[in-house]
Amino acid sequence: MSHTYNIRQAAVIGAGTMGRGIVISLARAGVAVTWLDNDPQAITAGIAMLAQTWAQQVAKGRLQACEADACLERVRAASTYAELADADLVIEAVFENLALKQDIFRTLDSTLKAQAILASNTSALDIDAIAAVTGRPEQVLGLHFFSPAHVMKLLEVVRGARTSPQVLDAAHALGLRMGKQVVVAGNCPGFIGNRMLATYVAEARKLLLEGATPRQVDEALQAFGMAMGPFRMYDVVGIDLEWRARQLAGSGMDAPLAQVDNALCGLGRFGQKTGQGYYRYAPGSREALHDPEVDALVLKVAQDLGVRRREIDDEEIRERCLLALVNEGAKILEEAVAGCSADIDRVYLYGYGFAPEVGGPMRWADQQGLGLILARLERLQGLFGEHWRPASLLMRLVAAGRQLADVREGRV
Ligand code: NAD
């Protein structure tokens, strides 16, 4: 039987970086929130951070004092799952670990009312594997916010194999109430945004080992119009996140492309938050300063790996990083993980700081001309190998004289 969902009362599990921003977004949209973390201190600190954020907005004239009070009143700390029983929607934002999330979803399934929607803020885990431990897989989906969740405009709504259309509609409506750009993504590792990002970052890391410096890569992409280059982005997000995930998973530590990050983390250089990462930062400042020690570290890692270094120009950096995004984006379109190319562009514009004047990676590719894009990918395939094999969708579009913008749900 179909059911129309009306989300008035939400619950959030996890009071870390993401949980805090999600609670702010919900409360600002007028939704009451019950908040749970297994560390009571995290909730206390989280509520203090909320109060401080809203007080700052009042001071800047962006929020009225009575609205700030109303927002704070909407948030209630909980210490047991029983207190979440009335929630219409729960968003889980605990550590990125499948077994942990599955445990939490089992508990949520057995404690929350039958109509409640269960969502995970996972960055890349399998939504179907999470849904499978519940008795209500049609009410399970991903709600992938970006950091900081109350500032970043993008919300990726991740559709599991069994998520019902009514649940997707409810998530979409809630996203709009929170002022987000909502994009529906299919369930695959990394969804739309992080799946494409993985290919882009892999090229950036290869370029470092082959001869570029972090500053050169970042500046070449910033000159194209990106809000920040990949290494500055890692400094903002925290280089340690992936490093810890590799350690937790017990895999990937030996990968050549992880060696610069491993070396930086080994020195405690986690990024902006520790004052040093790919760049260094003066106390209290966010200005990324060039650090010759990092260039030396990159050189040493490349030598230890036996990579022959050469002069790399800015054009090659842009060519490889942008075409990696385009080729993976085309695969995502072909698999109908994204419904249309404009959705991919919105993910990149609102979630990843892609050059706004260019309008997104897929639009850029269409403007360049897909025939030219295909030829450039084939050239890279000849130079660097099979991972550059062009998506078959690109070949079909070129043969038919069509564009990426003509594709809907995987069909031309
Ligand atoms: P975090 O480490 O800042 O916070 C996680 C919180 O979960 C902590 O407060 C911890 O006490 C709590 N927690 C852990 N186990 C728990 C349990 N069993 N029950 C209740 N609470 C528990 O992590 P984060 O950066 O906020 O990430 C949370 C999730 O969001 C992850 O799945 C992550 O992949 C995803 N995500 C993170 C980002 C980001 O940039 N940080 C962006 C998008 C998505």
Side-chain angles (χ1 to χ4, degrees):
M1 202 181 70
S2 79
H3 174 84
T4 309
Y5 296 91
N6 183 10
I7 295 162
R8 271 183 287 224
Q9 174 102 30
V12 173
I13 320 267
T17 313
M18 295 309 291
R20 292 172 182 196
I22 294 169
V23 171
I24 294 177
S25 301
L26 288 166
R28 284 297 309 269
V31 180
V33 189
T34 311
W35 204 4
L36 180 75
D37 194 293
N38 65 349
D39 173 3
Q41 299 241 324
I43 292 283
T44 313
I47 289 182
M49 181 267 187
L50 261 49
Q52 192 192 9
T53 304
W54 286 322
Q56 281 166 354
Q57 289 178 355
V58 170
K60 288 180 187 158
R62 291 192 196 144
L63 189 68
Q64 293 192 349
C66 61
E67 287 176 305
D69 291 344
C71 283
L72 210 48
E73 274 166 28
R74 286 188 196 113
V75 182
R76 192 165 57 86
S79 50
T80 62
Y81 279 85
E83 293 166 75
L84 316 183
D86 290 335
D88 303 305
L89 161 82
V90 54
I91 304 176
E92 164 279 312
V94 305
F95 304 139
E96 185 79 338
N97 179 279
L98 181 61
L100 173 64
K101 290 187 195 280
Q102 285 174 323
D103 259 358
I104 289 177
F105 273 69
R106 269 189 210 99
T107 310
L108 289 170
D109 190 35
S110 62
T111 29
L112 266 73
K113 63 183 182 193
Q115 302 86 345
I117 297 173
L118 312 182
S120 173
N121 181 50
T122 176
S123 311
L125 296 173
D126 181 357
I127 294 298
D128 292 333
I130 296 175
V133 303
T134 74
R136 56 178 101 183
E138 62 290 341
Q139 285 158 244
V140 176
L141 80 171
L143 286 181
H144 184 210
F145 290 81
F146 289 71
S147 184
H150 58 297
V151 177
M152 295 296 286
K153 283 275 171 235
L154 180 66
L155 176 64
E156 259 186 327
V157 170
V158 186
R159 181 186 55 211
R162 294 184 58 189
T163 313
S164 78
Q166 292 81 9
V167 166
L168 288 175
D169 287 348
H172 199 274
L174 177 69
L176 296 183
R177 268 170 79 190
M178 291 188 290
K180 303 293 184 195
Q181 287 280 333
V182 182
V183 173
V184 177
N187 179 36
C188 64
F191 318 127
I192 297 174
N194 284 342
R195 176 169 157 186
M196 284 168 67
L197 187 75
T199 64
Y200 170 83
V201 165
E203 284 312 309
R205 287 178 168 153
K206 281 179 211 162
L207 286 156
L208 270 199
L209 297 178
E210 290 170 28
T213 65
R215 186 167 69 160
Q216 188 196 356
V217 173
D218 285 347
E219 287 181 354
L221 291 162
Q222 285 156 206
F224 178 80
M226 306 299 194
M228 58 177 91
F231 299 110
R232 270 188 62 200
M233 185 191 74
Y234 267 89
D235 269 6
V236 172
V237 171
I239 308 170
D240 56 316
L241 295 189
E242 288 186 4
W243 178 64
R244 281 185 219 284
R246 282 195 286 279
Q247 284 173 325
L248 250 165
S251 67
M253 281 306 269
D254 299 336
L257 295 186
Q259 296 316 309
V260 172
D261 279 26
N262 287 352
L264 289 170
C265 289
L267 295 169
R269 300 186 67 126
F270 295 162
Q272 227 172 58
K273 61 189 170 191
T274 55
Q276 288 183 319
Y278 277 100
Y279 296 87
R280 58 190 175 79
Y281 302 84
S285 163
R286 290 178 180 180
E287 189 191 349
L289 303 170
H290 175 232
D291 190 341
E293 274 180 36
V294 177
D295 296 346
L297 180 145
V298 168
L299 188 67
K300 168 141 194 345
V301 170
Q303 278 167 351
D304 290 350
L305 288 167
V307 182
R308 196 169 54 82
R309 285 173 70 84
R310 60 186 167 86
E311 194 74 22
I312 287 181
D313 62 30
D314 292 357
E315 225 18 78
E316 178 175 350
I317 293 170
R318 287 189 281 267
E319 180 78 353
R320 286 170 60 180
C321 292
L322 290 169
L323 286 176
L325 277 181
V326 168
N327 204 28
E328 197 63 26
K331 292 176 192 170
I332 281 173
L333 257 189
E334 184 163 28
E335 294 166 27
V337 166
C340 62
S341 64
D343 278 356
I344 297 181
D345 287 339
R346 280 197 296 138
V347 166
Y348 265 78
L349 290 170
Y350 296 103
Y352 295 86
F354 192 91
E357 290 81 32
V358 180
M362 300 290 109
R363 192 160 153 206
W364 176 76
D366 276 343
Q367 280 169 350
Q368 297 281 302
L370 291 190
L372 188 61
I373 292 284
L374 186 59
R376 285 155 72 176
L377 283 168
E378 283 167 350
R379 182 183 150 268
L380 290 170
Q381 186 185 5
L383 285 171
F384 300 108
E386 273 311 285
H387 76 280
W388 280 108
R389 173 181 289 281
S392 55
L393 175 69
L394 287 172
M395 304 195 202
R396 283 198 283 135
L397 289 173
V398 170
R402 309 294 293 272
Q403 295 200 315
L404 291 162
D406 298 325
V407 181
R408 290 285 175 285
E409 302 296 341
R411 286 186 294 276
V412 185

